[in-house]
């Protein structure tokens, strides 16, 4: 359980790291990339900052994480690596390499892909987990510093030292990522090896053999990083700053683009100086960076798109870029085919493969990239490091999985996009072009339009760059007319996606405890990416390196085939996109979780991308297939397999479902009812044990939903926590919500409801108790075992005290089995019922004293009324007086202090009894002869009354009054 | 007619030829018998349709009702079902009804229902009957007189019974039964069509009773209230004008409702009405009424003769009554325990349970009588220890405090007149009428 979930987290983190790295690379190193990267980084950071603001207490969140994680970034990385290794084993060779690639370049894209449900979820999960995870704590330091630094630096270049620290961490991460990559890619190894020698040689080499070795390398990187960081800081800080301030920073870009190259060089130099490996790493980074940048651009919102445009332009110009690798990338890019991955290529070829993979990824994952805003920010901060290591700890460790997941499909795609972007990056856009882009985007009314517009702009820009008019053209007078038609064209495609995204985004914003924003953005991006994919490709056509759309499609299909091949085990889930988890028997014991995750994600992603082009028939087929799998899934579901495999898919599932709804209407004429909502059942990925309860107002988000194993921990925590009932109640409600959302109905569910029912009884919270009781009734009737008799007794008592009509009471009594009637609690309840029915107060209060389990809390409800009836009865039947001592004993006043001994009990009971009698209008007189207080019955009979309850509160317990609640929140 | 038959015959032959490869014996026995069977079926169906038409045209409600009956032993169900299977184009035949009343679709649904019922596919049958009933009701509304009331009642009855069967079938197939609920809502519609002023109101009580049956079966007794209000508040129509059959049923169910509400006086009134108007030859009905009337009477202080219980096979009450006569708490508890399930199911358990206090009262009365025999002057003072001892003879072990409580309750609820002295542990009975009569008094507070 833990491992699996952990692995996911790690993967997510890893991805984050990767992204960060890539960004970092851009910022710091990538002179060539500089323009595009910087913008992307800026965007990323920008978003991120928002995210952060929404998600302020990163430290706290981190604090939640396990102590293990906290130990160090290194540890994190290692873990990530481990999971990776496991994954690799499972994964097909191609997948592994892909993952690595993705990790390098595409993280952002991964997370954001809407079509790629898994990715978005992952991303969220990653963010979440990161926050929750111990590594996060470690991370928190760096991130916080990082954020501060980055922001600060932007404002003024002050503290680079701090920056360097983050960088180091990022470096470590990067290293780990690489190592992971290597491990995963063992199959890859072939090409990778070829690649590594060149690119990563120094840095990676150490890591390559095993994950552990990575650490030292990471350290070295760290050490080296400071300088690097400083360089980056200077270069990036400017860039970032501008970017941050101006999402579409037309004016700023030029300036920073210029500096960037120099920085890059310096950075590379630094790296080289520090270590041979570093140089390689930097190159890697640049390459990687370029790729990620592209992804982010494509996926991210308008800003991103602008960036893309910029990138494309830059890419064209880039050719002269500092790193030869980029060139190679470009050249190779046109040929990215899935098959390539598997073949061991030369370094260049490998790069190409990567790029191609990444491109494919990007396509698919573009959307996801936006989700990573945090990451991107992190990346920006971390960027200093090589491609992988740069990511902040928290994000990195978790992300690896994601990366790996995408590995296959995403890699291919990503590479193309990335490449294109990368090529563009080196060059700079004229400010007029930026202004033009801004104007164009300003016309867009919504995200869908923006996405279309971005694609179109990209096309224009690539065109311009192709025919060399990029700088010669007067962008200020360039007409925007084409955009309107483009928009009209593109919108229809994207409507569904955008709608969904919007809804998601709004929802996201609402949720408190999540690292909000990211997901939504991711999803949006992913959707955009989907729609814009082809367009982007077309746009890139003109360029030498660009792949023709046809080629792309081919690739995609081939890729799909490949994927299917790879994923046979996970196929069902994949197919379904929306489909949930499948039992994963095929994955095998090792690292199944991460593996399956990746597979699933890929599948989901894939599906999402494919969906748009699918014929209705195919859709229908897929739906039926999905259903078929669901059954098995559901079957396995209740067992609560702890593996979070499919967690990531929920968002994608949702997306696909929505798309289905939207598209089906026109295409198939299918009604909404035809959608198989069962397939939308999610599997949570959240690893936080503690979670606040918020009533859901939209579809649940897997990254905020905890899987069963975590819920078990949460229950144990609630049971042992010393905190008050309000806290427990909230926690239990959130547990119940997660259970409901995941449709978990088993013994554990019963346990949760029973626990909550007992606690509610204890606290007098009848409303909650009633809810739990109602649920328990249903659960028991399904044959799930639990404390059936105990709660039967409670429900009987509750009915008696709530004056339920006779018929209901009778029917529930008639339903009691013979065995149940032998149960102590049930017998007690029946006796109480009888006592109440006959008004036998003596037996009632005796039963009150001997009530088993929580029954006495329920009886509390009736004590007041019973006492009043009893006193009424006494005052009518006894003459002339009745000693209070007798009454106190009979009416249960002494029961509380019974334990302390007779004397105390009597006196205590007497006082309470007298007090009670007086407030109810009884006449108490002092009998001097016996030295006793007596009830004057005849007089009392006329004056007895039932006072208005003073301290009535909705939840039934005055102790839980508003003040308590307010102080708590 | 003849022409059509010939036509059918030719079609039949063509069919045969096509089906059998060796088309040789198409005039053979099989084909011939088939042909004749089909012709016979068509004839029978036409006959059936003709009688329906006749009933419609003569406004003979009784005949129509018997023609539409499904579950009654001498219904046309089997005939129609078999004819439907064999006849060619049965719809055409059934449509002939439309000449007289637009009931062709209704009849085709109705015969479909008969067919399904005959094959024991009750869910299908119910669905068809529901359609048929809706169409019939629509037509019934347009008829000014209430001549077809009997037919409507038949349909209502068949719908309800079929719904129960359909529900059973659904449960057996693991589905959630909802047909009876559907029948209930249809009956409400019928009730709405009848409950207004006019000649059709006579039939409203029958539907009401059918509704009661549905609601009691479904456990949604609270839905009865609106119907009851509509029946009891209408001044236009005297309750006595309803048929006795419906009045008895109605009073029986409303009496049961009063039992649930602990309104024993009202329950007694209604159940007594039902008992008095129930034909004495309907022993099962009398027994059903007595099943509720006896506990109600008991709680009001009237004990039945044992022969009555014997006669109507109400043995479960024998020991209860004996316990009341003897003041034997133990016997009462035993009797309650022995028949607990039955009492719980019929809903009288809670009523009988409260008889315990009467048994205590009886016990006190006996002690009082004995004391009076011994020492009339002090007979009104009953010491606690005496009561405890008496209880222990009955194998009931209670301590003084508990007995004290029970005495206090007896006094409080006016089972006994007097007071209790805690100091001296004595129940002091009133010298005048210490055990007031329970009869005619709501003694259960």
């Amino acid at each position: 359980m833990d491992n699996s979930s952990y692995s996911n987290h790690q993967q997510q983190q890893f991805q984050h790291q990767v992204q960060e790295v890539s960004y970092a690379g851009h910022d710091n190193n990538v002179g060539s990339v500089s323009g595009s990267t910087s913008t992307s980084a800026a965007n990323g950071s920008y978003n991120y900052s928002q995210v952060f603001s929404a998600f302020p207490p990163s430290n706290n969140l981190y604090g939640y994480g396990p102590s293990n994680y906290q130990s160090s970034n290194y540890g994190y990385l290692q873990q990530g690596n481990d999971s990776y290794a496991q994954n690799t084993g499972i994964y097909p060779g191609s997948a592994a390499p892909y993952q690595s690639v993705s990790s390098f370049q595409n993280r952002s894209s991964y997370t954001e892909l809407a079509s790629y449900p898994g990715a978005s979820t992952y991303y969220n999960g990653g963010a979440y987990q990161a926050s929750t995870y111990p590594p996060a704590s470690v991370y928190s330091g760096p991130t916080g510093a990082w954020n501060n630094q980055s922001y600060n630096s932007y404002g003024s270049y002050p503290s680079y030292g701090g920056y360097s620290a983050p960088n180091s961490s990022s470096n470590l991460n990067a290293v780990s990522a690489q190592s992971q990559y290597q491990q995963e890619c063992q199959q890859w190894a072939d090409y990778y090896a070829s690649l590594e020698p060149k690119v990563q040689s120094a840095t990676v080499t150490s890591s390559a053999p095993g994950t552990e070795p990575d650490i030292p390398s990471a350290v070295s990187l760290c050490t080296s990083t400071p300088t690097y960081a400083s360089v980056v800081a200077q270069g990036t800080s400017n860039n970032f700053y501008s970017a941050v301030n101006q999402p579409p920073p037309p004016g700023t870009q030029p300036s920073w683009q210029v500096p960037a190259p120099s920085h890059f060089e310096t950075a590379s130099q630094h790296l080289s100086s520090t270590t041979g490996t570093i140089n390689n790493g930097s190159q890697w980074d640049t390459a990687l960076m370029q790729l990620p940048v592209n992804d982010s651009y494509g996926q991210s919102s308008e800003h991103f798109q602008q960036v893309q445009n910029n990138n494309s332009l830059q890419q064209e110009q880039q050719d002269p870029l500092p790193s030869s690798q980029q060139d190679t990338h470009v050249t190779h890019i046109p040929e990215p085919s899935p098959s390539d991955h598997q073949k061991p290529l030369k370094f260049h070829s490998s790069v190409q493969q990567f790029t191609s993979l990444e491109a494919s990824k990007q396509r698919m994952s573009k959307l996801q990239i936006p989700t990573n805003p945090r990451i991107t920010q992190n990346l920006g901060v971390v960027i200093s490091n090589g491609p992988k290591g740069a990511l902040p700890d928290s994000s990195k460790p978790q992300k690896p999985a994601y990366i790996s997941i995408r590995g296959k499909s995403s890699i291919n795609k990503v590479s193309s996009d990335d490449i294109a972007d990368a090529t563009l990056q080196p060059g700079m856009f004229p400010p007029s072009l930026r202004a033009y882009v801004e104007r164009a985007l300003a016309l867009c009314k919504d995200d869908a339009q923006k996405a279309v517009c971005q694609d179109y702009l990209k096309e224009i820009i690539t065109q311009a760059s192709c025919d060399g008019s990029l700088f010669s053209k007067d962008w200020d007078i360039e007409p925007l007319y084409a955009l309107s038609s483009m928009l009209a064209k593109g919108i229809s495609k994207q409507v569904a996606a955008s709608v969904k995204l919007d809804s998601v985004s709004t929802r996201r914003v609402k949720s408190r405890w999540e690292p909000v924003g990211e997901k939504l953005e991711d999803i949006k991006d992913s959707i955009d990416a989907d729609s814009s994919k082809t367009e982007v490709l077309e746009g890139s056509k003109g360029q030498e390196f660009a792949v023709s759309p046809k080629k792309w499609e081919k690739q995609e299909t081939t890729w799909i085939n490949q994927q299917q091949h790879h994923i046979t085990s996970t196929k069902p889930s994949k197919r379904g996109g929306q489909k949930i988890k499948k039992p994963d028997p095929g994955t095998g014991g090792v690292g199944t979780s991460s593996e399956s995750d990746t597979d699933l994600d890929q599948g989901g992603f894939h599906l999402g991308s494919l969906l748009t082009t699918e014929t209705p028939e195919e859709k229908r087929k897929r739906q039926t297939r999905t259903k078929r799998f669901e059954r098995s899934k559901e079957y396995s579901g209740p067992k609560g397999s702890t593996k979070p495999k499919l967690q990531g898919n929920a968002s994608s599932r949702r997306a696909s479902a929505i798309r289905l709804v939207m598209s089906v209407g026109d295409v198939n004429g299918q009604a909404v009812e035809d959608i198989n909502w069962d397939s939308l059942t999610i599997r949570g990925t959240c690893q936080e044990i503690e979670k606040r309860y918020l009533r859901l107002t939209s579809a649940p988000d897997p990254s905020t939903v905890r899987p069963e194993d975590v819920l078990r921990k949460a229950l144990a925590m609630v049971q042992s926590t010393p905190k008050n009932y309000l806290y427990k109640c909230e926690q239990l409600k959130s547990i119940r919500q997660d259970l409901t959302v995941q449709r978990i109905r088993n013994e554990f569910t019963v346990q949760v409801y029973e626990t909550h029912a007992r606690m509610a009884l204890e606290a007098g919270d009848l409303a909650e108790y009633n809810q739990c009781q109602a649920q328990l009734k249903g659960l028991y009737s399904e044959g799930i075992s639990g404390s059936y008799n105990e709660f039967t007794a409670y429900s009987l008592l509750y009915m008696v005290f709530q004056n339920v009509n006779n018929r209901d009471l009778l029917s529930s009594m008639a339903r009691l089995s013979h065995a149940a009637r032998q149960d102590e609690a049930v017998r007690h309840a029946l006796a109480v019922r009888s006592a109440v029915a006959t008004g036998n107060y003596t037996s009632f209060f005796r039963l009150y004293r001997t009530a088993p389990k929580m029954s006495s809390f329920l009886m509390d409800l009736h004590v007041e009324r019973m006492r009043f009836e009893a006193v009424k009865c006494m005052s009518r039947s006894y003459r002339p007086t009745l000693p209070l001592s007798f009454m106190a004993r009979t009416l249960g006043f002494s029961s509380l202090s019974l334990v302390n001994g007779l004397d105390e009990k009597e006196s205590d009971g007497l006082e309470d009894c007298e007090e009670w009698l007086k407030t109810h209008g009884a006449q108490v007189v002092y009998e001097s002869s016996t030295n006793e207080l007596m009830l004057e019955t005849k007089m009392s009979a006329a004056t007895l009354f039932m006072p208005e309850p003073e301290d009535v509160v909705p939840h039934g317990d005055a102790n839980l009054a508003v003040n308590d609640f307010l102080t708590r929140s | 007619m003849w022409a059509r038959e010939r036509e059918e015959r030719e079609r039949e032959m063509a069919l045969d030829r096509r089906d059998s490869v060796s088309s040789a014996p198409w005039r053979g026995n099989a084909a011939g018998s088939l042909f004749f069977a089909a012709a016979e079926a068509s004839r029978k169906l036409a006959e059936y349709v003709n009688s329906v038409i006749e009933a419609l045209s003569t406004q003979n409600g009784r005949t129509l009702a018997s023609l539409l009956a499904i579950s009654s032993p001498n219904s046309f169900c089997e005939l129609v079902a078999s004819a439907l299977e064999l006849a060619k184009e049965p719809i055409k035949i059934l449509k002939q009804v439309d000449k007289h009343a637009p009931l062709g679709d209704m009849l085709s649904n109705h015969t479909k229902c008969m067919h399904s019922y005959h094959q024991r596919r009750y869910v299908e049958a119910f669905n068809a009957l529901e359609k048929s009933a809706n169409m019939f009701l629509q037509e019934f509304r347009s008829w000014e007189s209430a001549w077809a009331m009997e037919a409507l009642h038949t349909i209502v009855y068949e719908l309800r019974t079929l719904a129960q069967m359909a529900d059973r079938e659904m449960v057996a197939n693991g589905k959630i039964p909802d047909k009876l609920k559907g029948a209930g809502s249809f009956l409400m519609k019928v009730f709405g069509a009848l409950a207004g002023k006019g000649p059709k109101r006579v039939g409203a009580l029958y539907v009401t009773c059918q509704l009661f049956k549905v609601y009691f079966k479904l456990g949604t007794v609270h839905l009865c209230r609106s119907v009851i209000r509509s029946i009891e508040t209408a001044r236009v129509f005297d309750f006595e004008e309803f048929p006795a059959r419906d009045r008895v049923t109605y009073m029986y169910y409303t009496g049961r409702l009063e039992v649930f509400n602990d309104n024993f006086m009202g329950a007694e009134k209604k159940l007594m009405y039902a008992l008095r108007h129930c034909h004495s030859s309907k022993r099962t009905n009398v027994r059903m009424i007595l099943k509720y009337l006896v506990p109600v009477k008991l709680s009001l202080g009237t004990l039945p003769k044992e022969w009555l219980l014997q006669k109507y096979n109400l043995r479960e009450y024998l020991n209860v009554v004996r316990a009341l006569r003897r003041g034997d708490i133990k016997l009462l508890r035993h009797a309650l325990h022995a028949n607990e399930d039955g009492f719980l199911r019929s809903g009288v358990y809670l009523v009988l349970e409260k008889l315990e206090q009467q048994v205590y009262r009886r016990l006190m009365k006996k002690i009082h009588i004995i004391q009076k025999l011994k020492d009339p002057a002090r007979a009104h003072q009953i010491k606690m220890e005496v009561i405890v001892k008496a209880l222990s003879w009955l194998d009931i072990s209670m301590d003084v405090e508990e007995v004290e409580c029970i005495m206090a309750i007896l006094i409080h609820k006016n089972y006994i007149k007097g007071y209790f002295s805690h100091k001296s542990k004595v129940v002091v009975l009133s010298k005048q009428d210490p055990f007031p009569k329970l009869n005619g008094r709501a003694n259960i507070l």
Side-chain angles (χ1 to χ4, degrees), chain B residues 383-399:
Chain B
K383 286 182 182 161
M384 280 300 292
E385 54 200 63
V386 176
I387 304 170
V388 173
K389 197 189 280 174
L391 285 171
S392 70
W393 286 345
L394 293 169
D395 262 359
I396 304 281
S397 65
M398 277 198 221
D399 62 26

Side-chain angles (χ1 to χ4, degrees), chain A residues 561-618:
Chain A
N561 293 333
Q562 246 191 352
Q563 221 187 4
Q564 288 180 352
H565 217 84
H566 294 306
I567 308 171
T568 44
S569 64
T570 49
K571 220 189 239 166
S573 58
K574 221 206 239 168
R575 287 312 205 97
Q578 358 147 250
K579 200 27 139 353
I580 318 176
K581 41 221 126 182
K582 85 185 184 180
D584 95 306
T587 48
V590 190
T592 50
S593 67
S594 62
E595 207 190 17
S596 62
D597 278 351
T598 57
D599 282 356
L600 290 173
D601 287 347
Q602 286 181 350
F605 165 64
H606 189 55
L607 236 186
S609 62
L610 287 180
L611 263 179
T612 49
T613 57
E614 272 177 0
T615 67
E617 242 121 40
E618 281 173 346

Side-chain angles (χ1 to χ4, degrees), chain A residues 37-56:
Chain A
T37 32
S38 64
T39 53
S40 67
N43 291 332
S45 63
Y46 188 71
N47 296 332
Y48 208 13
S49 65
Q50 290 179 348
V51 174
F52 266 110
S53 62
F55 188 52

Side-chain angles (χ1 to χ4, degrees), chain B residues 47-266:
Chain B
E47 244 171 45
Y48 173 75
V49 171
N50 279 335
S51 18
V52 171
I53 291 170
E54 191 178 335
L56 284 173
S57 58
T58 59
Q59 300 210 333
N60 189 335
R62 176 154 299 175
T63 315
L64 186 60
S66 68
L67 284 167
L68 296 179
I70 296 167
S71 57
S72 63
N74 50 0
S75 75
F76 287 81
C77 187
E78 191 177 343
L79 184 148
V80 171
S82 57
L84 219 53
E85 271 173 39
L86 296 170
K88 298 289 159 190
E89 300 200 7
I91 300 294
K92 219 178 197 171
I93 305 171
L94 294 171
K95 281 284 186 193
Q96 292 184 327
V97 181
D98 284 344
K99 291 174 196 162
H100 304 272
L103 288 174
D105 289 334
M106 177 259 169
L107 205 59
S108 72
N109 274 312
H110 203 83
T111 49
K112 208 163 105 193
C113 163
M114 287 170 153
H115 186 224
S116 302
Y117 177 85
H118 191 62
Q119 296 181 335
R120 303 184 189 283
R121 289 173 299 169
Y122 297 123
V123 176
E124 240 169 72
F126 175 83
N127 290 337
L129 183 60
E130 200 178 21
K131 278 185 209 146
S132 154
N134 266 312
M135 292 170 191
F136 187 80
L137 180 64
Q138 210 173 341
E139 203 51 38
F140 181 85
R141 278 204 182 102
S142 66
W143 293 330
E144 287 198 3
S145 80
W147 68 268
M149 187 62 76
E150 211 163 323
L152 183 68
H153 285 171
T154 301
I155 289 177
V156 164
Y157 172 79
E158 299 291 5
L159 192 74
R160 181 182 65 78
T161 48
L162 249 182
Q164 281 168 267
M165 293 164 112
D167 273 359
R168 244 169 289 163
E169 185 182 315
M170 289 176 88
V171 169
N173 293 337
K175 291 180 198 155
I176 298 163
D178 60 350
K179 297 302 179 196
L180 194 55
K181 220 165 148 188
S185 55
F186 175 75
L187 291 195
M188 255 335 253
K189 240 197 289 186
V190 177
F191 182 79
L194 300 178
K197 293 179 194 173
K200 293 176 187 172
R201 189 173 171 82
V202 193
L205 201 61
Y206 179 82
V207 180
T208 308
C209 294
Q210 296 297 324
L211 266 176
F212 283 161
K213 288 178 187 177
V214 171
Y215 291 151
F216 271 79
K217 201 114 198 157
L218 289 175
T220 52
V221 175
H222 57 278
L223 294 175
C224 296
R225 220 174 296 149
S226 62
V227 192
I228 293 173
R229 203 180 309 127
S230 153
I231 290 289
E232 293 189 345
T233 57
R235 306 250 175 255
V236 230
F237 198 88
D238 189 359
F239 184 73
E240 294 300 324
E241 287 180 43
F242 287 118
R245 163 190 75 166
D246 299 340
R247 277 182 285 143
V248 171
T249 314
Y250 177 83
M251 282 304 189
Y252 166 74
Y253 279 108
T254 49
R256 279 184 65 180
L257 285 176
E258 296 295 354
V259 174
F260 284 137
N261 296 335
D262 279 350
N263 179 4
F264 297 132
M265 303 288 284

Side-chain angles (χ1 to χ4, degrees), chain A residues 436-451:
Chain A
Y436 175 75
V437 169
E438 257 184 341
R439 262 181 291 136
L441 289 175
L443 287 178
C444 300
K445 288 166 192 163
D446 55 27
D447 291 326
Q449 286 189 349
K450 275 182 186 169

Side-chain angles (χ1 to χ4, degrees), chain A residues 230-245:
Chain A
S230 64
V231 175
V232 174
Q234 294 172 354
T236 50
S237 65
N238 294 331
N239 296 330
F240 272 108
Y241 191 68
S242 63
V244 172
N245 291 335

